[in-house]
Structure formats: structure tokens, C-alpha cells
Amino acid sequence: MAKQANTLFLEDWLRSNGGGGSSGGIKSAGNAPPPSSSSARAIIQAWAELRDCLQHQSFQPHHLQSLKTLLHSQASLHVADPQAKLLISILSSPDVSLPQESHPMFLRLLYFWVRKSFRPNPVLVDSAVEVVCGIVVSARFDSDWGHLVFSEGVLVLGAFSVVPAASNASKVLCLESICRLLEHGGALMRLYEGVIANVLAGIGYALSCPVNVHYNKFVSFLLGVWGSEDGPQSSIPNGLMILHLIEWLISGYINSSSLEKIRLFSQIALENSEKHVPYALSMAAGGVLRAFNRLASRGAGEILGLRISAEDKMEYLASGLISRMGDPGNFIEHPTDRLLLQCLALSFARSGLLSSRAPFLICLASALMSEIFPLRRFYAKILDNSLGTSAKIRHDEVREHVESVLFKEGGAVTGIFCNLYASANEQNKALVENLFWRYCYDLYLGHRQVVLVLQGRDNNLLGDLEKIAESAFLMVVMYALAVTKQKLTPKHSKETQMEVSVQILIAFSCLEYFRHMRLAEYLDTVRAVLPSVQENESACVTFVESIPSYADLTVGQGSEYCWSTDDVQTARVLFYLRVIPTCIERLLSAVFRKSVAPTMFLYMGHPNVKVARAAHSLFAAFVSSGQDSFEDQRASLKEQLVFYYMQRSLEAFPAITPFEGLASGVAAIVRHLPAGSPAIFYCIHSIAEKANKLCSVEFVQDGHLSMKWQGDSEPCKDVLELLLRLLSLVDVQVLPDLMKLLAQLMVQLPKDGQNMVLNDLYAQVADSDDLTRKPTLVSWLQSLSYLCTQAKSSGSDISKISSSKKESPSWSAKVSRL
């Protein structure tokens, strides 16, 4: 069989696809550093010393060093026929006593020769086969170097079996010798995991041999040796090496049109597989599908049949697993079934394209939630155990998962899962949708508790958990986008579209804490689902009523719980605060009063400015909503909420309440409540009172109560600016009251404060284009400027401000220009 690209040394390729690992004691070619000029001289010297060894029929310690020198330079080492003949002569010489340590090195050098040589001498190849078979068959595998002789022997004999220059007799001898070696294989592979890649590569070469001798035994060993007391450990890295070995093997069969080999493999590996280990069988089937999908254009009847057999076998394994699982949303406790689920997921992911079969979809859904992103399992362990010495053990488990191949393949598994979802029937789609929405809610509840337990105690563990959770969030986003493409289409009813949209929004709210980047797929999904909620009252109500209740928000576990420090919960509420304004027009006032208002007012007092501002924006959106509505309850509720809003906002200003949030709420009140509303009067009176407190402080000087100007403080400037801005916003029924309040405030201010406010007022009135209120404001400003001049000396009466015609000389010229 022709050698394939990238697999000159099959064992190295398998290791790289299985996640790396030990080479079993002999340095692999793929890991060797490039040789330097000195190493080139060292190679020449090493060959010279080995020739000296043969010439003097004596193997000395420095000859062992010569072998090591050659192996250390193996990446660029080329063993030609003369060097191979030298090695064979030393091995076959009865007068040269070789240490056991040297045997694996000689075998490795012969392996380089047979894999790198384009046309090795047939006579030399047959001679080498005879010598190597003699060494490995007579070796003692219980010695210190026995396991290396075993693994290197299987590898080099497998390589010899596919060399075109070898005679059929030599090929048969190689295959028979490998069979004898594999009698010890399971135990040695269990004891020395580093030899597994070599053994698998040797079997792969043997299965590629054109001579069909012991083919059944090789396949049976490959798929049946795992997990027993006398066999190697079943693990993900070993399983991936099986998958890619079968991919390499089947690709070779397809490329060389070895239809008989394909038929034979399908019959032994996939159809008569009762004695094969499911773990290995799932990976082998994945390798078949991967090879087929890469070379599908060369398909023939036998090849298509092989694909069908592989998928049938994977479906059989998946169906059995689902039946043992019960509810696909549950944890799988049995280690063997957990490993099988992981292997099926990786097989599906690395296969590429899959036929649409229900067990595939359900298995992948379960694998994503319980094995690839197993947060619920980790949460349960952390919450069920005390934080003592066991915390480090749990952290190691989490860290190992973050670094595992399984976790790193999460994106590929998600892609395959979304493709299968798109082609599934409606029943199975609904099944996995419910599983995922429940998973999202479980993550919210679990992570919220875990953060409260671990924060400040084991931040490293918490950080690794959040790495998994962030990836789980990305997985859910990709899946949710796939759901919108399938369910938000004209072929589905409005009710279905509304239900799916609401579920996606609720799921996103649960995972909002893990959203740390601007993700196009996330934005596309939100844009797709929002119209269904915005256009339907029922959908809007369902979404809004899913917000955590006030009691749930404020009552937590333990006496030390504080709602404002619960970041996971805060992130979820922030999602609602941002989304609800987009559908506020469809929201009944009774639902807003019951489900939204308590939470909105609570989070106005949140120390995070972003959160508090969002709560103010929601209030402004509600007050601004329903202008075309005849719902009396809505108008009444707006009036009622204003009173509490002003109290809640101003009592926390400036410590917590953000000025931008307060300004947006006040602007909405004066613009959208009915003209002359008592709530508007209360609003401006409250702001004026707050301004008076912020802008001056009382103190006693010479026995008299005086005021000290605090106008340089930002809060004072902000609240004064807000009052001045209201002059152009309030309706004309409220304007006189506002002017009176401003006048009362200004006459109490020190001179520098009065001048600052008067300057601002002058600029604002001068720039005004409002022809209705400008004359009133000009007259008022004239009187106010005079009053401020007289206030300190004569205690002018504020009530006479409108009728007073006297003017301050310094302001008379300015005001006349207005």
C-alpha cells in the first residue's frame, strides 16, 4: 500500500492526534530537534564506531552511546542499505554479545530504514525480517527492556509487512510473529502506556499488508483488548488513536481501491462485533466515517456500504446508551457509559458529516451538557462537600477537564449537534430544546450558589469553572441561533414562534453573567426573537413574569447574604432591565406593578452604575409608554410610581443614583405625564429641595445662621443643571411653580452661587427658540436678577417676584438684550 502524506511514522501521527504522550522510551522522530553541524559529525563518527564493533566482534559501552547518538538525530537521519546491512550483521553475529538495552535501539534504526527507503534491497529486507523475528520471538518481556523490545518489534515487523520489496514469505513471517507478540500485548500495554502508539501503528501496518493472514486476529485485538484486567486502560487519548488509525487504514484502502479489504474490515469490525469493546468500536466507526467523508468522491458500492455499517453500529451503541440513561438530562454515573458517551461525541465531531438519526442527536445533547460542559456535576460536588482539603482535589479535576481534548472539542461537537438538530423531526427537536433550556436554568442556580461559596476562598477553582461556563454560553448561543433558523419561520405557528422566543430570552438571561464579549451570533439571535415578544402581549407577559421575584432576589442562603453582591443574579436582572423596555408597550400595567416595579426600584439602589442606570431607563420607558393607550390603570400607576421614584432616587443621590439615570427619569415624568399632574409638581419640589441641601450648608457665624456655597461640587452642579433644563421641558401650568422654586433657592445662595446660576439662566434663555415661554422667562429673569441683588440686604419677598419691576444695574443691560 502506498505511503500516505503526513504518516511516514504512523506512531507519531497517532500520538499527535491522541493528544501526545510518552513515546515509550525511544525518542520519536517527530519530537527530535533539528541536527546541528556538530551532530552531523557525530552521526558519521557513530556509524564508524559501529563498523568497528562489527570488525572487532565486540560491543563496548561506547557503542551503546553511538546508537543513542543516531537516535537523537533521527529526525534527519537517513539509514541507507549499507547502514542497514551493518545493523543486521551486528544483530545476527553469534560472536557479538549485545546488551538487552541495545535491542530496541537496533529495531528502531531498522524501522527508520524501512520507512524512509524508497527501494530497499529485497534480499536485505528478507534477511532483516528473519533476524528481527528471531530477536523478538525469543525476547524475555519480563525484563527491564522487554516492553520496548515488544513495542519496537510490533512496529518494525508491521512496517516490514507493507514493504513492496519484502517477499510474501517474509510478510507472512512478520504477521505470524506479530500475532505471537500480541499474546503478551494486553498486559504490557496496561503496564507501559507509552508503548500503545507503537503497538497500534504496528497493527495498522499489518492490516495494510496485502497478504490477508491473521487479519481477523489483528482486528479483534485492536477492538477487544481494552478495559479488561489484562488489557490497557480505556481512555480518550487511546480512543482517539484508534479513531485515527482506522481513518488512516480505511483511507489507504479507498486510495488503493482495496475493495476486498474494505469488505473484510466491515464484516469483522462492524458487522460481527459482539466481542468488541463498545468504547473502541465507537472510535473505530468514527474513523471509518472520517475517512469516507474525506474521500467521498471516490465512493463505490463497497465503500458506501462501509459507511452505512459504521453509522448503524454507532446508532446501535447510542441507542443502548440512551436506554440505560433514561432521562437524557440526567447524569450518567457508570464510568464505562460515561466514557462511551464521550467517545461517541468525539467520534461524531471528528467524523464530519452524519446522517440524521435521533440517537445521534440525543447522545450529543447529553454529552454537551453532562460531559463536555459538566458544570452541574462539578457544582453538585462542590456544594455537597465542605471546603477543606477536598477543595484542591476538586480543583485538579476541573483543571484537568479544562485542559482535556474533550473540552477543546466542544466547538466541533456543537457544530455537529446543530447540523443534526436542523434535520431532526419536530418531536426530537422539542425534546432537546427542553433539555437545553433546563440546562441553562440549572447553570444559573448552580453557579450562583457556587460563587457565594467559593468567592474569596478559592478563586482559582472558581476561575476554571467560569472558563467552562463561558464556553457553555457560546455553545448555547450557537444552538439558540440554530433554533431560530428552524422555528422562527412561516411554516411554524405564531404560538410556537412566541414560545421559542420567550424560552431563548429566558435562557440568555440565565447565562448573561458569562457573556464577556460582543458576539455576532448572540446579537443575531436576540434580534430574531425580540419581534415575537414585542408584537404579542401574551409572549411579553410570559417573559416578564419569568423575572425572579423580589423575595427571591433579596432572600438568599445564609445570614450574610446581600443581594447587591450577588453578581450572577445581578447579571440576570440586568438582562431583564435592558430587554423589557423593548416590549413595554405590550406590557399590562398590572403585570408591571406586580413583577417589574419592585425589582426595578430595588436595583435603582444597586452600587453598580450600569445596573442602576438600566433601572432608571426602564422607569423612563414605562412612563413614556402607552401614549395612545386608553388604559386608565396605566396612567394611574405612572402617577403613583413617580412619588416613590423621586424618594428612592434622591435619597441615594449622589452616592448611588447616577445623575444620567435620574435625569432620564425626570425628563420622562415632565414630558409624558398629563399637564398639571400633581406628580410633576412633587417631582420639581423634590429636586429643588435636594438642590438646596446639596448646594449649601448651614453654619453659625457671629451668632447668625449663614449658608456656605457648595457650588463647586459635581452633584450640586448636576442638580442645578437639571432644574434649569426643566424650565424648557415642563408644561406652562407647572412653569410658574418651577420659577418660584428656583427663585427661592437662588436667594438663599451666596453671591457667587447666584452669579453662576444667573449666568447659566441667561445663556439658556438667550438660546431658547420657544416663543411661548421665552417672554415669561425674560420677565422672570429680570425680576430674579434684581431680587438676588436685594435679597441679602433687605430680605425681599419671594412672592413679589413676578410683580417686581426693579432691576439690578449689572443685569439690566444683559436682560434687555434677550
Side-chain angles (χ1 to χ4, degrees):
M1 182 179 298
K3 297 176 184 176
Q4 298 175 46
N6 304 324
T7 53
L8 179 63
F9 298 105
L10 180 57
E11 73 284 2
D12 288 343
W13 186 71
L14 294 178
R15 284 193 190 93
S16 66
N17 282 289
S22 170
S23 62
I26 299 291
K27 191 166 184 148
S28 60
N31 297 328
S36 62
S37 58
S38 59
S39 66
R41 289 194 296 270
I43 291 172
I44 295 172
Q45 180 63 31
W47 285 120
E49 289 177 355
L50 289 176
R51 283 192 294 271
D52 182 69
C53 164
L54 180 63
Q55 182 179 355
H56 294 88
Q57 295 289 294
S58 175
F59 191 92
Q60 301 299 322
H62 69 277
H63 294 135
L64 192 64
Q65 185 59 46
S66 299
L67 293 174
K68 293 179 180 179
T69 298
L70 295 174
L71 291 175
H72 290 161
S73 305
Q74 61 196 13
S76 60
L77 181 66
H78 181 75
V79 181
D81 284 0
Q83 285 84 26
K85 184 176 181 180
L86 172 62
L87 297 173
I88 295 167
S89 298
I90 294 174
L91 284 171
S92 60
S93 174
D95 297 325
V96 180
S97 178
L98 297 173
Q100 289 186 346
E101 183 181 356
S102 68
H103 287 165
M105 299 181 187
F106 278 107
L107 296 179
R108 173 63 66 154
L109 290 172
L110 290 174
Y111 176 66
F112 294 156
W113 165 57
V114 75
R115 291 301 292 168
K116 287 189 174 184
S117 294
F118 184 64
R119 288 180 179 174
N121 186 296
V123 176
L124 198 57
V125 169
D126 289 345
S127 176
V129 169
E130 184 177 353
V131 171
V132 170
C133 288
I135 290 174
V136 298
V137 170
S138 62
R140 290 184 55 190
F141 299 121
D142 57 351
S143 65
D144 292 341
W145 299 96
H147 67 284
L148 292 178
V149 174
F150 160 74
S151 67
E152 297 295 331
V154 173
L155 183 64
V156 72
L157 288 173
F160 276 127
S161 72
V162 294
V163 175
S167 64
N168 282 348
S170 292
K171 291 175 181 177
V172 170
L173 181 58
C174 288
L175 300 178
E176 289 179 343
S177 298
I178 293 174
C179 271
R180 293 182 63 179
L181 287 173
L182 292 181
E183 293 175 3
H184 310 274
L188 289 172
M189 291 165 72
R190 183 177 184 84
L191 291 173
Y192 305 98
E193 285 197 1
V195 307
I196 292 177
N198 285 5
V199 175
L200 293 182
I203 294 174
Y205 292 137
L207 290 172
S208 300
C209 177
V211 179
N212 288 336
V213 176
H214 302 304
Y215 192 93
N216 194 337
K217 291 183 180 180
F218 293 142
V219 173
S220 297
F221 181 89
L222 177 63
L223 302 181
V225 71
W226 308 93
S228 64
E229 294 182 359
D230 296 327
Q233 180 184 4
S234 299
S235 66
I236 293 296
N238 290 341
L240 288 173
M241 286 196 288
I242 296 172
L243 184 149
H244 289 285
L245 173 62
I246 300 303
E247 175 202 356
W248 177 87
L249 184 66
I250 299 302
S251 296
Y253 291 167
I254 295 174
N255 286 329
S256 61
S257 300
S258 301
L259 299 183
E260 178 60 25
K261 286 278 192 180
I262 292 174
R263 184 198 61 77
L264 190 60
F265 180 86
S266 178
Q267 180 181 4
I268 297 173
L270 302 175
E271 296 170 19
N272 301 323
S273 57
E274 293 80 7
K275 295 183 179 180
H276 299 160
V277 178
Y279 146 82
L281 195 54
S282 67
M283 288 301 204
V288 170
L289 293 177
R290 183 176 172 87
F292 178 88
N293 289 329
R294 291 179 61 193
L295 302 169
S297 61
R298 307 183 190 185
E302 292 286 350
I303 300 174
L304 294 174
L306 180 64
R307 173 185 179 139
I308 294 172
S309 295
E311 288 195 338
D312 286 347
K313 184 53 60 179
M314 295 176 87
E315 182 179 15
Y316 170 79
L317 295 172
S319 298
L321 186 59
I322 292 169
S323 66
R324 296 191 295 275
M325 190 188 309
D327 182 353
N330 291 339
F331 298 152
I332 299 177
E333 299 297 341
H334 198 283
T336 301
D337 282 344
R338 285 191 60 194
L339 180 62
L340 178 58
L341 181 60
Q342 294 168 7
C343 289
L344 283 170
L346 288 174
S347 291
F348 294 149
R350 297 208 177 186
S351 296
L353 298 175
L354 282 174
S355 299
S356 178
R357 305 192 186 196
F360 295 170
L361 179 71
I362 296 171
C363 266
L364 280 177
S366 179
L368 284 168
M369 292 182 288
S370 63
E371 300 299 333
I372 298 175
F373 306 110
L375 289 163
R376 294 180 298 180
R377 189 188 304 274
F378 290 144
Y379 293 160
K381 288 185 178 181
I382 292 170
L383 297 174
D384 288 347
N385 296 287
S386 61
L387 284 175
T389 56
S390 60
K392 186 177 187 304
I393 297 174
R394 291 198 301 273
H395 188 190
D396 291 343
E397 183 180 352
V398 175
R399 175 60 58 85
E400 288 172 4
H401 184 77
V402 170
E403 297 173 352
S404 70
V405 174
L406 185 65
F407 178 69
K408 293 174 182 177
E409 291 280 347
V413 175
T414 302
I416 294 293
F417 171 74
C418 291
N419 290 338
L420 289 174
Y421 170 85
S423 55
N425 62 35
E426 292 301 321
Q427 181 181 357
N428 288 318
K429 283 179 179 177
L431 172 63
V432 296
E433 285 167 22
N434 291 332
L435 290 176
F436 270 84
W437 310 148
R438 188 174 75 188
Y439 173 76
C440 294
Y441 187 68
D442 289 345
L443 291 197
Y444 164 71
L445 293 179
H447 201 79
R448 183 183 169 203
Q449 296 178 66
V450 164
V451 168
L452 297 177
V453 169
L454 294 180
Q455 201 162 48
R457 301 178 184 178
D458 197 337
N459 290 333
N460 291 330
L461 172 57
L462 185 58
D464 282 336
L465 286 170
E466 292 190 350
K467 287 180 183 178
I468 301 174
E470 288 165 13
S471 295
F473 166 76
L474 297 178
M475 177 268 292
V476 171
V477 168
M478 300 306 296
Y479 171 63
L481 182 59
V483 173
T484 63
K485 293 177 179 179
Q486 296 299 312
K487 291 296 184 72
L488 304 186
T489 60
K491 71 176 184 179
H492 288 90
S493 65
K494 290 292 185 182
E495 290 73 15
T496 298
Q497 295 184 45
M498 289 186 299
E499 180 181 356
V500 168
S501 297
V502 169
Q503 291 295 342
I504 289 176
L505 286 176
I506 295 173
F508 278 10
S509 77
C510 292
L511 302 184
E512 179 68 11
Y513 178 76
F514 309 116
R515 185 173 68 91
H516 301 312
M517 66 181 73
R518 186 176 178 86
L519 198 64
E521 292 82 358
Y522 175 86
L523 297 175
D524 290 344
T525 304
V526 172
R527 293 190 190 103
V529 301
L530 273 180
S532 295
V533 178
Q534 294 168 339
E535 297 167 4
N536 184 272
E537 180 181 299
S538 175
C540 181
V541 169
T542 302
F543 170 68
V544 169
E545 289 183 339
S546 68
I547 192 172
S549 68
Y550 183 89
D552 291 338
L553 294 172
T554 54
V555 178
Q557 295 181 349
S559 58
E560 299 180 357
Y561 176 77
C562 177
W563 66 271
S564 62
T565 60
D566 189 341
D567 293 337
V568 180
Q569 177 177 269
T570 296
R572 186 179 186 202
V573 172
L574 180 59
F575 181 89
Y576 282 95
L577 295 177
R578 287 170 169 169
V579 174
I580 291 175
T582 67
C583 58
I584 199 75
E585 296 291 344
R586 294 287 183 180
L587 189 60
L588 295 175
S589 58
V591 177
F592 188 89
R593 177 198 293 272
K594 177 183 177 181
S595 300
V596 180
T599 300
M600 176 185 70
F601 285 125
L602 176 66
Y603 279 82
M604 282 181 186
H606 197 281
N608 186 302
V609 174
K610 179 174 62 176
V611 176
R613 189 184 297 125
H616 284 274
S617 297
L618 174 57
F619 172 81
F622 178 70
V623 173
S624 306
S625 69
Q627 299 305 308
D628 299 327
S629 172
F630 296 98
E631 185 189 2
D632 294 336
Q633 289 184 355
R634 198 179 197 89
S636 174
L637 180 60
K638 290 179 184 180
E639 298 266 357
Q640 296 171 31
L641 294 181
V642 167
F643 293 92
Y644 187 67
Y645 173 77
M646 296 309 302
Q647 294 174 21
R648 177 76 169 158
S649 300
L650 293 177
E651 71 182 4
F653 181 82
I656 294 177
T657 301
F659 175 70
E660 298 85 353
L662 174 64
S664 67
V666 170
I669 291 170
V670 300
R671 281 174 173 164
H672 299 287
L673 289 190
S677 166
I680 298 179
F681 283 98
Y682 178 78
C683 173
I684 62 174
H685 276 264
S686 299
I687 297 172
E689 182 181 350
K690 187 68 176 182
N692 189 48
K693 292 179 180 179
L694 288 173
C695 296
S696 58
V697 293
E698 296 180 347
F699 68 99
V700 177
Q701 184 178 21
D702 299 330
H704 299 285
L705 186 65
S706 302
M707 305 294 291
K708 184 177 180 181
W709 171 238
Q710 300 291 312
D712 290 337
S713 69
E714 285 299 322
C716 175
K717 292 179 181 178
D718 288 339
V719 75
L720 283 174
E721 178 187 349
L722 178 59
L723 280 171
L724 299 185
R725 192 187 306 171
L726 290 177
L727 288 171
S728 60
L729 295 179
V730 298
D731 64 85
V732 293
Q733 297 182 48
V734 181
L735 183 60
D737 203 63
L738 176 59
M739 293 190 297
K740 180 179 178 180
L741 289 171
L742 269 171
Q744 289 174 334
L745 173 64
M746 288 186 62
V747 297
Q748 298 179 52
L749 297 178
K751 192 66 176 177
D752 53 350
Q754 292 176 352
N755 289 338
M756 186 195 79
V757 176
L758 284 171
N759 281 323
D760 289 343
L761 276 171
Y762 170 77
Q764 181 173 322
V765 174
D767 293 338
S768 175
D769 296 327
D770 189 341
L771 300 180
T772 301
R773 68 182 69 203
K774 187 169 184 175
T776 303
L777 290 174
V778 170
S779 176
W780 171 71
L781 187 53
Q782 290 174 334
S783 302
L784 182 61
S785 62
Y786 170 77
L787 190 62
C788 287
T789 303
Q790 301 299 316
K792 293 297 180 182
S793 58
S794 60
S796 300
D797 187 355
I798 297 297
S799 64
K800 298 179 181 179
I801 186 170
S802 299
S803 59
S804 175
K805 300 298 180 183
K806 296 180 181 179
E807 301 174 7
S808 167
S810 63
W811 276 85
S812 178
K814 279 188 175 184
V815 175
S816 64
R817 292 196 298 270
L818 294 176

